[in-house]
Amino acid sequence: MTSTHEGTFEGLRAQLQEAAATFADGPDALEGILLGIVDDVDHAVREPLEIFPVCHHSPASAIAMARRLREKQPKVVYLELCEDMAPLLTELRNCKLPVAVQSFATEVDGFPVEWSPLSVVAPITEASAEYQAIAYALDTPGVELVLVDRSSDHVFQWDARATESAGPAAPDTPPAEEEAALHGDAVGVEIGDLRPRFAELEEHLLHHGKVRHWSEWWHQYVELPLGDSDHDTYRQVMLLIGSLFRRLAPGDSHRLRLDEDRERYMWTRMREHLAATGTDPADCLYVCGAFHAASRVAEFGVHGTDTFEISPPSATTWQHGLIPSSHAAIEAQFGLAAGSVSIAATVWAKNVRRTRVEPFRLAGQAGAKKSRAKAKKAVAAAAVGPAEAIPPSDKLTGFLQRPPALDQLDETELLGWSVEIVRAARRNGYLASTADAIAVFETSILLAGMRDRAKPTPYDFQDAAVTCIEKDTVPGRRDVRRLVEIMMGGDRVGQVGYEALPPLARDVHDRLAPLGLKLQQTGVQRALLDIASQPELDRCSDVLWMLRYLLPQGAARPIMGERKLGERPIQESWDLALGTYQRALIELGYEGVSIEQVLEQRLRRTAYDRRATTATVLEGVEDATLYLRSRRLADELGTHALEVLSAERSVDGAPEVLRRVRRLLAYYRTSEPVLPSWIESFAKTGYAHYCTLLPTAFTDEDATVRQVAATLGFLFSMESLALSLGCDRTQLELAVVQSHPEEPSKTALLWATQVQLGHLSRANLRAKCDELLGNPLVVPAYPRYLSGFVQALEPVPGLTDFVVEAVSNAFARLPDPVLLPWLPTLITTLRSGGSELAPLLIREAGRTFPGRLAALDAWVPPWLAQPEPEATRPAVGPEGPHGCTLLAAHPATCDAVASLLGCEGTWETAETDRPAGTALTGRHPETAAALEVLLAGA
């Protein structure tokens, strides 16, 4: 083989050596690079196993691949793709391209926990060489497709090796556009990453090529020249580019080692397959990136060394599936210019029509032509044996010396573009006219001439359209550059077919079938559920609420209807976009076989997380009851909430705990015959726990007044239940006695607590407030006391009227320099921390203050009204009027109540000096007197 091709590139070597000696100071450095590139090309061309170099999503590569497959008809196709993705490729026929093959792992074993979940994607478009190879291998009998690149597990194994040596890498910035986020934060695997790794080289190429970005340079100087080239020319040029970028790459030791390890891995797998099957290398085709095709590792070739050891996979369990992709997602993930993939798809379609090369498409593919004649023709072509191998000739010399072909201006195509962009601009709010179409047409030709091009490229046309139409404003949501991208093909979004979906996604579609919607369709659809007349839709409602919990916000959005504990829906309205968020639904299928299982796993994982708080666990209890209606899971999580509560040493989560416990307690009291044992234990344990933390919370500077108020609210709300379960109120009383706050708002909160416990009367509390208002040194801090009283409505709602009184006195007596700055603080405090308390104050104020403006002048506040003189009050005592006089005068009412209660008795005669019902009052008048004092004070 060596003797056959010994002089293939001798002429090119001589010319490059002469050029190196002429343009360089010395022939060593430049000559070594130039001759090394030729040696790399010669080395790859001589390999018995044909290497087919490609570039990622290149129409020229796809055309060359389709042409070569029909000429060579290999029996084995080795493809640079993760080897564990092979079983999924047959499902591509059930999808609408572009889609991405994905490997996904939620639970990691052998990798850092913070990396979870792990995700690897390999996007596939129709205008890509890898799709042509896959379609040929899967639909041609007797052809085997072998994926030889590292597995998904090794992707992260080698990434972990790099992290250990270089430290943690900075997180990637997420793409801003929604369409660009279809791949999420997955690691992208691409075939043929051809881009200069030497920044100065790329800058030099862009500057002298008179282009803005790398995608435009590649389109102008590689895609167009190679679009009509023969196989040998295409292959040698791609090898030349791969070798050039490889030799001029900066000295990044890790990236170079990673590339070489991938090459060693792939050649090791190919030799293993050749040895196991006995296949002739001449009947094989190796499809890989041009960068890897120019490799010089020792393991290169079918006769390379077998010194590379492949490490075993980790214990991580990987799930595999297909997810929808889009042109924007591919561009964002691989750093391509916006619109470049859409333009590549347009160029692919034009190349197919111009070259008349029949591309390969999987049978049953969405949009595939169903022509039996072509199918028979393809089968007949596949039956022909491979052509005899012809020694390759030197195509590089002629290609490098040939001047660029000047394509004639296609005026019809350019005129059509100009008219169409004006039409699209008018639809999007631009004031464009026929004159703008002419201007775009002429400017495109002018820009192409300034850039030494005979024919305007799509990028020239895009610049001309922006210059002539956009002016200085964008009236709509899309600018002209985006309109050109849409016109050139748009951001095509792929779709995974029903048959290729995981079981969970298919189950969701089946359970939502009664809605009668096309759930595979992208965009938003409105679903109306009249559950009252169609009870079977109740199950659809359950699925939708679980999807709302599990999927991103826009996937299932309720318009009408809500789900609360103890309530059943009657009518609901939903906006569904499951087709748009198909990727998120598919990834749910990696976590379980049903959405109920996934939801239960997530609730349990959240509750048992080491950072989980009591409020978090109680939220899980509520969600388990609300969405799953699972008493078993709710009891399990509720029992765990007891353990988490006992371990907490602060009252930070008290407001959320109080809110959720109240809601759960109200639900169980109305829907269950007896309370669950866990909530009884929670009330008992929480009562003792918060009594212990109360003195510290009052003095802790980090504990807010709202948190302390919520702690007291828990104690007073759960008091009756806790006392019935064996708790002692003395715990609370001792905790209050031991509390000595210094902050004014907490002091006011303590006074309110003392009133609730009976340790402080309202009269004394009113006197304390009057004393504060009368002390000039304390007046500036009085608003803070009022804030504490407002928060006290949480544990002591009976003080609402007193709080209204205190606020009114503040408005009446505080000076403006103190009152006016405090008003915004009061409003923000009520809005942020007391939104549920404001209705209490408003209702009480409405009851207290007059309803009409005219009555305001004569209105006297109840707390300022003069008490009734003692002389005018009727005497109450043993000789005073008896309370039973009215009953004796109208016995029918008492008889009705007695009959209702099932009591039987007779009335005493009127001659009785005194009814027996008042005997106790006469014997113990102190009780009645104390009650009178209490009511008078209120």
Side-chain angles (χ1 to χ4, degrees):
M1 196 72 180
T2 303
S3 60
T4 305
H5 306 285
E6 186 174 1
T8 302
F9 297 102
E10 288 302 323
L12 181 60
R13 284 191 178 92
Q15 294 183 33
L16 293 177
Q17 190 171 10
E18 181 180 353
T22 303
F23 294 104
D25 294 337
D28 296 336
L30 183 58
E31 180 183 358
I33 294 176
L34 295 178
L35 297 184
I37 293 173
V38 178
D39 291 339
D40 291 340
V41 176
D42 193 16
H43 179 65
V45 168
R46 293 185 182 187
E47 173 58 36
L49 195 159
E50 181 178 336
I51 303 174
F52 193 94
V54 299
C55 176
H56 192 52
H57 301 302
S58 167
S61 295
I63 288 292
M65 173 61 72
R67 183 189 294 116
R68 184 56 179 167
L69 289 173
R70 294 196 180 277
E71 293 175 354
K72 182 180 178 65
Q73 298 173 16
K75 297 179 181 179
V76 177
V77 177
Y78 297 114
L79 184 61
E80 180 191 335
L81 195 62
C82 294
E83 57 185 1
D84 56 330
M85 295 180 176
L88 290 173
L89 299 182
T90 57
E91 297 294 340
L92 289 175
R93 65 179 76 253
N94 298 318
C95 303
K96 174 185 174 183
L97 299 181
V99 296
V101 188
Q102 183 183 40
S103 299
F104 194 86
T106 54
E107 298 180 0
V108 298
D109 187 354
F111 302 108
V113 179
E114 57 271 15
W115 287 13
S116 178
L118 306 180
S119 180
V120 179
V121 297
I124 297 176
T125 64
E126 187 176 355
S128 59
E130 58 264 37
Y131 175 73
Q132 295 299 308
I134 292 171
Y136 163 78
L138 295 183
D139 282 353
T140 305
V143 176
E144 184 179 4
L145 178 65
V146 182
L147 305 187
V148 295
D149 199 3
R150 54 183 176 161
S151 66
S152 305
D153 196 89
H154 285 88
V155 170
F156 288 96
Q157 280 191 33
W158 295 357
D159 195 11
R161 181 179 62 187
T163 303
E164 293 173 0
S165 60
D172 295 333
T173 303
E177 296 291 337
E178 181 180 350
E179 296 84 357
L182 286 178
H183 297 171
D185 54 357
V187 175
V189 176
E190 56 180 330
I191 300 178
D193 178 18
L194 273 187
R195 185 165 186 166
R197 298 184 182 179
F198 190 40
E200 287 77 3
L201 174 61
E202 181 172 345
E203 182 180 355
H204 177 83
L205 293 175
L206 297 183
H207 174 72
H208 290 277
K210 299 180 181 180
V211 294
R212 293 166 300 163
H213 46 72
W214 176 250
S215 299
E216 186 177 359
W217 187 93
W218 183 267
H219 172 84
Q220 178 68 25
Y221 295 99
V222 179
E223 285 293 334
L224 296 181
L226 291 182
D228 296 328
S229 62
D230 59 274
H231 170 64
D232 288 339
T233 301
Y234 165 83
R235 187 183 178 197
Q236 293 174 20
V237 170
M238 292 295 288
L239 290 171
L240 174 70
I241 297 174
S243 176
L244 173 66
F245 292 167
R246 191 183 187 101
R247 288 184 175 272
L248 294 182
D252 186 348
S253 59
H254 161 65
R255 188 167 185 180
L256 177 61
R257 184 178 64 171
L258 181 63
D259 290 330
E260 292 181 348
D261 283 349
R262 290 182 65 184
E263 294 154 7
R264 295 185 179 98
Y265 193 106
M266 290 187 285
W267 280 108
T268 300
R269 289 303 192 200
M270 284 187 283
R271 282 195 299 273
E272 289 176 354
H273 181 269
L274 291 173
T277 59
T279 306
D280 186 357
D283 295 329
C284 303
L285 186 68
Y286 172 33
V287 182
C288 68
F291 190 91
H292 299 298
S295 174
R296 301 304 291 253
V297 297
E299 291 80 4
F300 181 90
V302 294
H303 302 297
T305 61
D306 291 322
T307 58
F308 184 71
E309 295 183 1
I310 299 177
S311 60
S314 68
T316 300
T317 301
W318 289 89
Q319 305 285 340
H320 299 86
L322 297 170
I323 62 172
S325 183
S326 68
H327 292 170
I330 297 173
E331 293 160 358
Q333 187 167 32
F334 299 113
L336 305 177
S340 59
V341 179
S342 299
I343 293 176
T346 304
V347 174
W348 157 258
K350 292 177 60 177
N351 287 349
V352 170
R353 291 193 301 268
R354 186 180 71 253
T355 61
R356 296 185 179 181
V357 173
E358 184 179 354
F360 292 94
R361 297 192 73 167
L362 289 170
Q365 185 83 51
K369 299 179 181 179
K370 301 179 180 180
S371 175
R372 297 180 61 88
K374 289 188 177 182
K376 292 180 180 179
K377 179 180 178 182
V379 172
V384 180
E388 183 179 356
I390 301 176
S393 58
D394 179 10
K395 299 289 185 178
L396 279 179
T397 302
F399 181 86
L400 296 176
Q401 292 178 347
R402 184 175 67 239
L406 298 178
D407 294 338
Q408 296 299 319
L409 173 64
D410 189 345
E411 293 188 359
T412 304
E413 180 187 54
L414 183 58
L415 186 60
W417 286 356
S418 303
V419 173
E420 184 62 30
I421 190 58
V422 169
R423 183 183 293 114
R426 291 181 64 86
R427 286 197 301 266
N428 285 268
Y430 290 90
L431 299 177
S433 62
T434 305
D436 292 307
I438 299 174
V440 172
F441 179 86
E442 297 294 342
T443 306
S444 300
I445 299 176
L446 177 62
L447 288 177
M450 295 173 60
R451 296 166 179 173
D452 297 332
R453 303 169 188 169
K455 177 181 178 180
T457 66
Y459 299 97
D460 298 326
F461 171 76
Q462 189 178 58
D463 292 342
V466 172
T467 303
C468 299
I469 297 177
E470 190 167 291
K471 309 297 191 299
D472 56 347
T473 59
V474 179
R477 185 169 61 91
R478 299 186 177 100
D479 57 9
V480 174
R481 190 175 302 278
R482 178 60 178 158
L483 293 178
V484 174
E485 294 173 10
I486 295 175
M487 190 190 74
M488 290 292 176
D491 182 20
R492 299 178 186 175
V493 179
Q495 190 178 66
V496 179
Y498 175 85
E499 295 78 6
L501 292 173
L504 180 144
R506 292 200 300 266
D507 179 62
V508 168
H509 283 272
D510 294 341
R511 294 166 68 177
L512 295 180
L515 298 179
L517 301 177
K518 297 179 180 180
L519 300 177
Q520 292 275 72
Q521 180 178 329
T522 58
V524 179
Q525 303 179 72
R526 179 62 59 86
L528 303 176
L529 285 72
D530 188 1
I531 302 175
S533 60
Q534 296 178 286
E536 65 274 9
L537 295 181
D538 189 23
R539 297 183 177 179
C540 295
S541 174
D542 294 340
V543 175
L544 291 176
W545 282 108
M546 285 186 281
L547 291 177
R548 179 178 179 268
Y549 184 92
L550 295 170
L551 294 181
Q553 185 176 2
R557 186 167 62 94
I559 303 301
M560 181 185 68
E562 59 182 350
R563 177 153 291 201
K564 292 184 177 180
L565 289 174
E567 297 183 5
R568 300 296 298 174
I570 299 177
Q571 287 184 336
E572 291 180 353
S573 176
W574 291 79
D575 275 352
L576 300 180
L578 297 184
T580 304
Y581 291 88
Q582 192 180 49
R583 169 183 173 266
L585 181 61
I586 290 174
E587 290 186 348
L588 286 182
Y590 301 153
E591 301 182 43
V593 296
S594 67
I595 52 177
E596 287 84 359
Q597 180 187 3
V598 175
L599 180 55
E600 181 174 341
Q601 289 176 353
R602 289 196 180 183
L603 291 176
R604 187 176 281 109
R605 188 184 308 122
T606 303
Y608 285 93
D609 188 85
R610 58 184 179 85
R611 296 183 297 270
T613 62
T614 306
T616 305
V617 182
L618 290 177
E619 182 182 5
V621 175
E622 187 174 348
D623 291 339
T625 306
L626 199 60
Y627 300 113
L628 295 176
R629 298 191 180 97
S630 174
R631 178 65 182 273
R632 170 191 54 81
L633 181 60
D635 290 347
E636 176 189 341
L637 298 182
T639 304
H640 179 62
L642 288 172
E643 303 174 4
V644 179
L645 178 65
S646 301
E648 290 183 348
R649 293 296 177 264
S650 68
V651 295
D652 295 344
E656 188 70 12
V657 171
L658 173 62
R659 185 171 64 88
R660 296 195 178 277
V661 165
R662 279 179 174 172
R663 192 156 53 219
L664 288 169
L665 191 59
Y667 166 73
Y668 286 127
R669 280 175 171 168
T670 56
S671 61
E672 300 286 345
V674 294
L675 291 177
S677 58
W678 75 265
I679 202 168
E680 292 182 346
S681 302
F682 191 89
K684 182 178 179 180
T685 304
Y687 189 85
H689 178 72
Y690 283 126
C691 281
T692 305
L693 296 179
L694 188 60
T696 305
F698 266 114
T699 57
D700 188 2
E701 295 180 356
D702 295 332
T704 64
V705 64
R706 182 169 179 263
Q707 294 170 351
V708 180
T711 304
L712 292 169
F714 182 92
L715 294 173
F716 289 136
S717 300
M718 301 289 116
E719 186 176 26
S720 58
L721 180 58
L723 295 181
S724 66
L725 296 174
C727 291
D728 191 353
R729 198 186 193 194
T730 308
Q731 293 177 282
L732 177 58
E733 294 179 347
L734 290 175
V736 172
V737 171
Q738 295 172 359
S739 302
H740 304 287
E742 297 179 359
E743 207 272 330
S745 58
K746 292 183 180 179
T747 301
L749 185 60
L750 178 62
W751 291 345
T753 305
Q754 292 173 347
V755 172
Q756 178 71 9
L757 294 176
H759 298 169
L760 183 67
S761 65
R762 285 202 173 198
N764 293 336
L765 181 59
R766 186 176 291 109
K768 287 179 178 291
C769 293
D770 291 339
E771 182 181 353
L772 293 176
L773 285 173
N775 189 343
L777 298 178
V778 184
V779 164
Y782 187 74
R784 298 166 65 186
Y785 285 92
L786 288 182
S787 300
F789 283 128
V790 171
Q791 294 294 335
L793 296 181
E794 178 71 62
V796 191
L799 283 180
T800 306
D801 57 340
F802 178 81
V803 175
V804 172
E805 174 187 343
V807 174
S808 301
N809 288 334
F811 275 79
R813 299 176 58 179
L814 284 177
D816 289 347
V818 176
L819 179 64
L820 295 181
W822 169 68
L823 288 179
T825 304
L826 176 64
I827 295 173
T828 55
T829 300
L830 287 176
R831 179 176 296 177
S832 61
S835 56
E836 67 279 0
L837 305 176
L840 296 176
L841 293 175
I842 295 173
R843 192 182 306 115
E844 182 63 26
R847 186 184 67 83
T848 303
F849 291 95
R852 296 183 178 275
L853 184 62
L856 187 60
D857 293 336
W859 175 74
V860 178
W863 53 87
L864 296 180
Q866 294 295 329
E868 188 178 0
E870 295 290 338
T872 62
R873 296 183 184 178
V876 179
E879 302 301 330
H882 305 303
C884 296
T885 305
L886 192 61
L887 284 179
H890 303 281
T893 303
C894 188
D895 291 339
V897 174
S899 176
L900 182 63
L901 297 176
C903 300
E904 296 181 359
T906 58
W907 287 90
E908 295 185 358
T909 60
E911 289 78 11
T912 306
D913 295 338
R914 191 172 179 185
T918 58
L920 192 61
T921 307
R923 296 174 187 172
H924 304 283
E926 298 84 1
T927 303
L931 179 61
E932 179 190 14
V933 173
L934 180 62
L935 295 178

